[in-house]
Amino acid sequence: MSASIALVDDDRNILSSLSIALIAEGFLTRLYPDGQAALKAITENPPDLVVCDIKMPNLDGIELLRRLRERSSLPFIFLTSKSDELDEALGLAMGADDYIAKPFSQRLLIARIRALLRRAALTQASDEAPTEGTAETIRRGRLTMDPARHRVQWDGTDVSLTVTEFMILEALALRPGIVKTRNQLMDAAYQDDIYVDDRTIDSHIKRLRRKFRDVAPDFNAIDTLYGAGYRFSEE
């Protein structure tokens, strides 16, 4: 079945051109001219992925993302302008999986969409999976990760992560104590030689820490080694 993509932008020219390009690549598209219309439709019938502008009337992209993240970890890509660096960082901190700056290459956007959908498929829970977990479950001190179900717990309490956050944490937890450079974490979360900058990884790490500290204020298992990268410290 073709993946469905929700396109949210108040620029109808962008909506039209992106829709044509995505349909040509085999995707189904849903078009929304503002965040308010998108919120209602996406909540009632979630697509497989959202591509969303930041600055829009009625309900902007940041607020749309915030409200959607209250309900799900639906894959989400922001479209930003070069002058939107603060909004960009805020969007990533709130749980966006990726962003692309305008003007952008449609080919690059489609590559990012395909990569994110593949990552989402890899972490999607299997309906036939046994309920008691499998040998692939990762246990590191107080952390438990079940990749088959995209489930993370800290001291038995669930922590809701986006697809990208999950992939970054998994890369760290698989080799506790080993420093992972930003490039290595990019490779884990963004495959297929798709370029992202250092700020993207740093923003995802900050978001991971914040989510774990919401359930455990003493969380300090992700260390920063300045000039080197990050590591998971098993407690």
Side-chain angles (χ1 to χ4, degrees):
M1 182 181 294
S2 299
S4 60
I5 312 296
L7 302 176
V8 191
D9 200 308
D10 60 328
D11 187 328
R12 293 186 180 276
N13 290 328
I14 289 179
L15 285 182
S16 177
S17 62
L18 278 183
S19 178
I20 292 171
L22 289 169
I23 290 172
E25 293 291 325
F27 294 106
L28 303 175
T29 62
R30 308 178 193 171
L31 311 184
Y32 306 102
D34 62 71
Q36 193 66 55
L39 178 62
K40 184 176 187 300
I42 291 171
T43 300
E44 293 176 353
N45 185 20
D48 294 300
L49 184 144
V50 178
V51 177
C52 181
D53 189 24
I54 287 184
K55 296 187 183 301
M56 295 182 296
N58 299 328
L59 190 74
D60 66 20
I62 297 290
E63 182 61 17
L64 173 62
L65 173 63
R66 186 188 71 78
R67 296 193 191 184
L68 290 177
R69 282 291 175 260
E70 292 174 351
R71 301 173 172 87
S72 74
S73 57
L74 181 70
F76 197 106
I77 297 175
F78 266 133
L79 300 179
T80 74
S81 68
K82 290 184 177 179
S83 61
D84 287 337
E85 288 189 4
L86 291 177
D87 288 336
E88 213 172 79
L90 177 59
L92 288 170
M94 291 178 63
D97 291 283
D98 203 351
Y99 73 89
I100 292 183
K102 297 177 180 178
F104 57 88
S105 158
Q106 289 185 352
R107 181 178 297 178
L108 174 61
L109 175 59
I110 290 169
R112 295 276 186 95
I113 288 171
R114 290 193 185 282
L116 185 51
L117 288 173
R118 279 195 292 271
R119 280 151 42 205
L122 287 172
T123 57
Q124 186 178 13
S126 170
D127 291 338
E128 284 111 23
T131 58
E132 295 301 318
T134 67
E136 290 76 25
T137 298
I138 301 166
R139 294 183 175 85
R140 299 289 185 264
R142 300 160 69 184
L143 173 73
T144 303
M145 298 186 72
D146 186 346
R149 298 168 182 77
H150 189 72
R151 187 179 187 187
V152 179
Q153 292 184 318
W154 187 262
D155 282 341
T157 300
D158 286 329
V159 182
S160 178
L161 301 184
T162 67
V163 172
T164 305
E165 291 163 354
F166 190 98
M167 301 292 278
I168 290 171
L169 179 61
E170 183 180 29
L172 291 169
L174 282 172
R175 301 194 68 191
I178 302 299
V179 178
K180 290 282 188 178
T181 67
R182 288 177 177 84
N183 284 338
Q184 288 172 322
L185 293 176
M186 289 176 193
D187 288 343
Y190 296 88
Q191 300 174 2
D192 301 323
D193 297 323
I194 294 175
Y195 172 77
V196 295
D197 61 28
D198 289 355
R199 184 174 67 248
T200 303
I201 295 298
D202 293 342
S203 295
H204 287 310
I205 292 289
K206 289 177 184 177
R207 177 69 175 173
L208 274 169
R209 287 172 172 152
R210 186 178 300 118
K211 286 186 173 182
F212 277 95
R213 285 170 183 161
D214 284 345
V215 302
D218 63 340
F219 176 83
N220 61 359
I222 300 177
D223 297 329
T224 300
L225 283 83
Y226 294 98
Y230 298 97
R231 72 182 173 197
F232 184 86
S233 297
E234 188 171 6
E235 298 180 352

Coordinates of all heavy atoms in Angstrom, one line a residue, residues 18 21 79 100-112:
L18 N 4.6 20.1 -4.8 CA 5.1 18.9 -4.0 C 4.1 17.7 -4.2 O 4.6 16.6 -4.2 CB 5.1 19.3 -2.5 CG 6.4 20.0 -2.0 CD1 6.3 20.3 -0.5 CD2 7.6 19.2 -2.4
A21 N 4.9 16.0 -7.4 CA 6.2 15.3 -7.3 C 6.0 14.0 -6.5 O 6.5 12.9 -6.9 CB 7.3 16.2 -6.7
L79 N 9.5 22.3 7.0 CA 10.0 23.1 5.9 C 10.3 24.5 6.5 O 9.4 25.1 7.2 CB 9.0 23.3 4.8 CG 8.6 22.0 4.0 CD1 7.6 22.3 2.9 CD2 9.8 21.3 3.4
I100 N 14.0 20.7 6.5 CA 14.6 21.1 5.2 C 14.4 22.6 5.0 O 13.3 23.1 5.1 CB 14.1 20.3 4.0 CG1 14.5 18.8 4.1 CG2 14.6 20.9 2.7 CD1 14.1 18.0 3.0
A101 N 15.5 23.3 4.7 CA 15.4 24.8 4.5 C 14.9 25.1 3.1 O 15.4 24.5 2.1 CB 16.7 25.4 4.8
K102 N 14.1 26.1 2.9 CA 13.6 26.6 1.6 C 14.7 27.6 1.1 O 15.3 28.3 1.9 CB 12.3 27.3 1.8 CG 11.1 26.5 2.2 CD 9.9 27.3 2.3 CE 8.7 26.5 2.8 NZ 7.5 27.4 3.0
P103 N 14.9 27.7 -0.2 CA 14.4 26.9 -1.2 C 15.0 25.5 -1.2 O 16.2 25.4 -0.8 CB 14.7 27.6 -2.5 CG 16.0 28.4 -2.1 CD 15.8 28.8 -0.7
F104 N 14.3 24.4 -1.5 CA 14.8 23.1 -1.3 C 14.7 22.3 -2.6 O 13.9 22.6 -3.5 CB 14.1 22.4 -0.2 CG 12.6 22.3 -0.4 CD1 12.0 21.3 -1.1 CD2 11.8 23.3 0.2 CE1 10.7 21.2 -1.2 CE2 10.4 23.2 0.0 CZ 9.9 22.2 -0.7
S105 N 15.4 21.3 -2.7 CA 15.3 20.3 -3.8 C 14.2 19.3 -3.5 O 14.2 18.7 -2.5 CB 16.7 19.6 -4.0 OG 16.5 18.4 -4.7
Q106 N 13.3 19.2 -4.5 CA 12.3 18.2 -4.3 C 12.9 16.8 -4.2 O 12.4 15.9 -3.4 CB 11.2 18.2 -5.4 CG 10.4 19.5 -5.4 CD 9.3 19.5 -6.4 OE1 9.3 18.6 -7.3 NE2 8.4 20.5 -6.4
R107 N 13.9 16.5 -4.9 CA 14.6 15.2 -4.9 C 15.1 15.0 -3.5 O 15.0 13.8 -2.9 CB 15.7 15.2 -5.9 CG 16.4 13.8 -5.9 CD 17.5 13.8 -7.0 NE 16.9 14.0 -8.3 CZ 17.7 14.1 -9.4 NH1 19.0 14.0 -9.4 NH2 17.1 14.2 -10.6
L108 N 15.7 16.0 -2.8 CA 16.2 15.8 -1.5 C 15.1 15.6 -0.5 O 15.2 14.7 0.4 CB 17.0 17.1 -1.0 CG 17.5 17.1 0.4 CD1 18.4 15.9 0.7 CD2 18.1 18.4 0.7
L109 N 14.0 16.3 -0.6 CA 12.9 16.1 0.3 C 12.3 14.7 0.1 O 12.0 14.0 1.1 CB 11.8 17.1 0.0 CG 10.5 16.9 0.8 CD1 10.7 17.0 2.3 CD2 9.4 18.0 0.4
I110 N 12.2 14.2 -1.1 CA 11.7 12.8 -1.3 C 12.6 11.8 -0.7 O 12.2 10.8 -0.1 CB 11.4 12.6 -2.8 CG1 10.2 13.4 -3.3 CG2 11.2 11.1 -3.1 CD1 10.0 13.5 -4.8
A111 N 13.9 12.0 -0.8 CA 14.9 11.1 -0.2 C 14.8 11.1 1.3 O 14.8 10.1 1.9 CB 16.3 11.5 -0.6
R112 N 14.6 12.3 1.9 CA 14.4 12.4 3.4 C 13.1 11.7 3.8 O 13.0 11.0 4.8 CB 14.3 13.8 3.8 CG 15.6 14.6 3.6 CD 16.6 14.4 4.7 NE 17.8 15.3 4.6 CZ 17.9 16.5 5.2 NH1 16.9 17.0 5.9 NH2 19.0 17.2 5.0

